[in-house]
């Protein structure tokens, strides 16, 4: 097998502000793996929080490409990756997830089957996704909420975590007024102290918030579990639930864990987490980083496992260079094409132009 990479810049439609940062763009590195004239694709994106820049991603992909050359076919490479041999050791989870995605895409395309069928799921997932409203003015947040629900979004996720919590309460209140029938999720990204969280959560519960992600700073899972035990609304671990061992410590003690493939290491790791929490009282949330449709597609094939789905990263982009998972109407879905089911937008547009010219 042969592999190649390409780096692109993904610009957001507008800067996204959360409690710890503001993001206007990020780099994406695409991995292409070719075998027998068929190519599979995966994507990893840069992240300050996870300490990954484009140069690091390219270097790690180059290491994985050299390893891939030793395998006779993508199925053998997938087996080795899941055994911790290929892209193991110090390989960042985001890189491992992208390598696995490219191999799954390749296996699916060669077999003529979408990835969810390769994984053993019969029905193609079609699920409502949350849409994120960042830390912004109440006026802008209300306008976004009205526009999004008019487009079909049933779930809105509101970012929080300002020094003055009354600003967060006001933002949530105007979103509730503008979208009275929407399901609301809240995400302070770990900005609150346990005392502040305990004081604020009843107020947000009274405003109809369905669940809160990582209300307190990561690093104290025992404290998060204690908060969840007395919280008036479900608490979902995110930054405190990075991988399988974190989830094992929290299973049955928090109401949910946010599984991001770039955080846990890919599809196989996410499936192991799902098995771990099954029957524990802890539900799955499928989350994402801001990325293209290519980066989000592997998680879409798992979306039937989740109680909460937050796969809107591609919808925040000014231009998504890939297409195939939808989301613009509030629902992500698999396309029915083999593999991951996505393709470069230029290919889709070219095909439509050719059809129209006939």
């Amino acid at each position: 097998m042969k592999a190649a990479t390409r780096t692109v810049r993904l610009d957001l439609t507008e800067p996204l502000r959360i409690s710890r940062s503001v993001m206007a763009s990020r780099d994406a590195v695409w991995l292409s793996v070719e075998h027998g004239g068929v190519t599979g694709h995966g994507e990893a994106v840069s992240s300050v929080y996870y300490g990954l820049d484009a140069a690091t991603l390219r270097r790690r992909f180059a290491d994985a490409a050299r390893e891939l050359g030793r395998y006779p076919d993508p199925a053998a490479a997938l087996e080795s990756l899941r055994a911790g041999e290929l892209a193991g050791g110090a390989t960042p989870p985001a890189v491992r997830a992208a390598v696995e995605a490219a191999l799954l895409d390749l296996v699916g395309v060669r077999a003529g089957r979408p990835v969810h069928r390769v994984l053993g799921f019969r029905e193609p997932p079609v699920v409502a996704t949350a849409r994120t409203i960042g830390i912004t003015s109440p006026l802008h947040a209300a306008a976004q909420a009205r526009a999004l629900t008019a487009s079909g979004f049933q779930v809105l996720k509101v970012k929080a975590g300002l020094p003055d919590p009354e600003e967060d309460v006001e933002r949530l209140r105007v979103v509730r007024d503008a979208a009275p029938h929407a399901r609301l999720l809240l995400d302070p990204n770990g900005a609150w102290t346990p005392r502040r969280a305990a004081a604020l959560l009843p107020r947000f519960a009274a405003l109809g918030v369905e669940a809160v992600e990582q209300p307190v700073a990561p690093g104290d899972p025992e404290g998060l579990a204690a908060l969840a035990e007395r919280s008036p609304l479900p608490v979902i671990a995110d930054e405190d639930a990075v991988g399988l061992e974190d989830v094992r410590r929290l299973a049955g003690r928090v109401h949910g864990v946010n599984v991001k493939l770039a955080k846990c290491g890919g599809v196989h790791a996410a499936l192991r987490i799902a098995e771990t929490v099954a029957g524990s009282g802890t539900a799955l949330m499928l989350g994402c980083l801001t990325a293209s449709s290519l980066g989000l597609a592997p998680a879409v094939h798992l979306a039937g496992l989740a109680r909460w789905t937050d796969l809107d990263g591609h919808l925040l982009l000014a231009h998504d260079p890939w297409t195939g998972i939808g989301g613009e109407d509030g629902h992500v879905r698999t396309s029915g094409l083999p593999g991951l089911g996505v393709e470069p937008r230029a290919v889709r547009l070219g095909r439509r132009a050719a059809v129209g010219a006939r």
Side-chain angles (χ1 to χ4, degrees), residues 31 60-61 63-65 67-68 70-71 77 80-100 103 265:
L31 174 70
R60 295 296 192 174
F61 276 141
D63 294 339
E67 292 184 70
L68 283 168
R70 304 200 308 262
Y71 294 93
S80 179
L81 184 144
R82 290 171 176 176
E85 299 162 357
L86 169 61
T91 302
V95 171
R96 193 160 58 249
V99 172
E100 183 187 34
L103 292 171

Side-chain angles (χ1 to χ4, degrees), residues 48-282:
V48 174
Y49 184 79
Y50 292 113
L52 295 174
D53 57 19
T56 300
L57 291 173
R58 287 193 296 267
R59 186 168 63 253
R60 295 296 192 174
F61 276 141
D63 294 339
R66 286 190 289 271
E67 292 184 70
L68 283 168
R70 304 200 308 262
Y71 294 93
D73 55 60
L78 263 178
E79 183 177 349
S80 179
L81 184 144
R82 290 171 176 176
E85 299 162 357
L86 169 61
T91 302
V95 171
R96 193 160 58 249
V99 172
E100 183 187 34
L103 292 171
L104 281 169
D105 191 31
L106 183 53
V107 167
V109 172
R110 284 169 56 86
R113 300 160 64 197
V115 162
H116 65 270
R117 293 294 301 274
V118 173
L119 297 173
F121 301 112
R122 294 182 59 84
E123 298 299 323
V126 180
V127 298
T129 180
R131 180 67 155 78
T132 299
I133 295 176
I135 294 177
T136 185
S137 70
L139 184 65
H140 188 47
Q144 285 184 300
R146 282 190 291 269
L148 290 169
T149 52
S151 299
F153 285 89
Q154 303 167 8
V155 188
L156 302 177
K157 183 166 88 167
V158 182
K159 292 290 188 177
L162 286 176
D164 182 358
E166 295 304 322
E167 295 184 50
D168 293 331
V169 173
E170 176 64 10
R171 187 180 322 104
L172 196 287
R173 186 190 65 77
V174 300
V175 168
R176 168 51 75 211
D177 290 345
H181 303 297
R183 297 166 55 198
L184 298 182
L185 304 175
L186 185 68
D187 186 8
N189 287 106
W192 296 336
T193 64
R195 177 176 294 182
R196 175 167 286 187
L200 288 174
L201 290 181
R203 299 178 65 185
F204 286 113
L207 288 168
V209 170
E210 179 177 319
V212 59
E213 288 182 60
Q214 195 70 42
V216 294
D220 182 14
E222 294 298 319
L224 183 67
L227 178 66
E229 185 176 8
R230 62 181 186 273
S231 172
L233 50 81
V235 171
I236 302 168
D238 183 357
E239 287 88 346
D240 266 328
V242 176
L244 183 61
E245 292 307 312
D246 297 327
V247 172
R248 283 178 174 154
R249 282 192 291 270
L250 289 169
R253 306 179 67 200
V254 294
H255 304 91
V257 289
N258 187 346
V259 176
K260 298 173 183 173
L261 302 191
K263 179 176 68 171
C264 72
V267 167
H268 182 63
L271 290 173
R272 292 189 66 194
I273 288 173
E275 292 174 0
T276 298
V277 300
S280 70
T282 296

